[in-house]
Amino acid sequence: MASKRSFLDQLENFRREAYVAAQYLYSEMAVQHAASKSQRLLNKLNRTPRFWLTHGAACQEAAYLTLGRVFDTKSPFNVNALLDTFEQNLADFSRIALAERKRDGKPTAPEWLDDYLAGAHYPTVKDVARLRIRVAAYRSIYDRAVKPARNKYIAHREKVDQEDVQSLFGGGKVKELWRLVTFLNALYEALWNQYHNGRKAVPRPMRYSVKVIFDSKHQGSAPHEAVIAETKQLMAFIETAMPNE
């Protein structure tokens, strides 16, 4: 059991890790998708192959290392420690505590506050247990699809044979990695809204397909969608601004 820490400290650290994991993973994938859509763009990217190979490898390694920190039970700021802190600080989610946050230091409560508090959700250990089950399901993806490569190749060079290395990365599908990192961001949003707005902490599904998000006319503000939007802008610039050979 983690020592009692500020829930907000744990949550903010988790946010940073979840955000960067999504940005690393989706930046690499967005470049690949853009190149697959345009031979003209692919030809231009192939004029600087070392840079793009470096970009792809760096993003993949950074994403795997970040996910390792999120799920490493030895870390004081892993996802289980976040839920431990949530459970240890349930008093911070009470009706009285939420009322204080909504009053925002004002001497009198706003007229709407009583109705708002009546409709809010005040979590119990059952809510924490429900989230632990969700996290455990995604931890199984991490253990199978990320941890072997992270531990035996990226963090420590235990394998160097090409076939052995490929097998380390072959434990999962790309779609599973997308769903893993988007779940982490959905979990952050759910816990943030539970604390600040009294909304029951239920992680909401997010768009996760690179193709769907990239090809959409609109990319949202979630970190994986935002980095896809910027990558899309960069790819369009490269495709149109660089002269053909």
Side-chain angles (χ1 to χ4, degrees):
M1 180 70 71
S3 60
K4 187 171 182 179
R5 293 186 177 87
S6 162
F7 172 76
L8 290 181
D9 288 345
Q10 285 278 6
L11 187 64
E12 175 57 20
N13 184 78
F14 181 75
R15 179 197 67 79
R16 290 194 296 265
E17 299 286 39
Y19 274 33
V20 297
Q23 290 167 350
Y24 290 140
L25 182 66
Y26 277 85
S27 178
E28 175 200 4
M29 297 292 183
V31 172
Q32 293 183 19
H33 179 68
S36 74
K37 291 170 57 69
S38 168
Q39 185 63 48
R40 176 186 173 92
L41 174 62
L42 179 59
N43 291 341
K44 291 184 176 181
L45 296 182
N46 281 335
R47 290 158 62 177
T48 52
R50 290 180 183 83
F51 174 84
W52 295 108
L53 289 173
T54 300
H55 169 267
C59 284
Q60 183 183 55
E61 291 197 5
Y64 276 48
L65 289 171
T66 303
L67 290 171
R69 291 194 297 269
V70 170
F71 286 101
D72 182 2
T73 56
K74 296 179 181 179
S75 166
F77 290 99
N78 68 82
V79 64
N80 281 35
L82 171 65
L83 295 182
D84 288 344
T85 306
F86 180 26
E87 184 170 353
Q88 292 164 2
N89 292 277
L90 285 175
D92 292 343
F93 296 84
S94 67
R95 181 187 180 106
I96 294 174
L98 180 61
E100 285 297 314
R101 288 194 287 275
K102 288 301 179 183
R103 285 177 60 172
D104 195 26
K106 296 181 176 63
T108 58
E111 294 181 359
W112 50 264
L113 185 58
D114 284 341
D115 288 340
Y116 187 96
L117 296 174
H121 178 77
Y122 305 102
T124 68
V125 292
K126 290 184 178 180
D127 292 279
V128 184
R130 171 177 49 80
L131 291 176
R132 290 189 193 279
I133 292 172
R134 294 288 305 276
V135 167
Y138 283 93
R139 178 180 291 281
S140 68
I141 296 175
Y142 168 79
D143 288 343
R144 170 172 47 82
V146 178
K147 187 176 181 179
R150 188 264 183 196
N151 286 1
K152 295 185 178 181
Y153 183 73
I154 295 174
H156 308 283
R157 264 313 183 264
E158 295 184 18
K159 301 290 185 181
V160 294
D161 179 79
Q162 191 63 28
E163 289 187 7
D164 290 341
V165 172
Q166 288 180 350
S167 69
L168 292 176
F169 286 92
K173 299 178 180 179
V174 171
K175 180 179 178 180
E176 290 180 306
L177 295 180
W178 295 342
R179 295 188 67 179
L180 175 60
V181 297
T182 53
F183 166 74
L184 295 178
N185 283 278
L187 177 61
Y188 163 75
E189 290 190 0
L191 289 171
W192 190 94
N193 273 303
Q194 176 65 86
Y195 181 86
H196 290 284
N197 298 318
R199 297 177 189 169
K200 187 174 182 179
V202 178
R204 308 294 181 185
M206 291 183 167
R207 294 196 299 181
Y208 59 81
S209 166
V210 171
K211 181 181 186 305
V212 169
I213 299 169
F214 191 102
D215 294 348
S216 172
K217 293 182 179 179
H218 173 72
Q219 289 79 43
S221 60
H224 65 298
E225 295 210 16
V227 79
I228 287 178
E230 292 188 11
T231 305
K232 186 175 181 179
Q233 281 186 302
L234 175 61
M235 294 298 102
F237 175 78
I238 292 173
E239 184 173 8
T240 58
M242 292 178 60
N244 291 324
E245 287 188 337

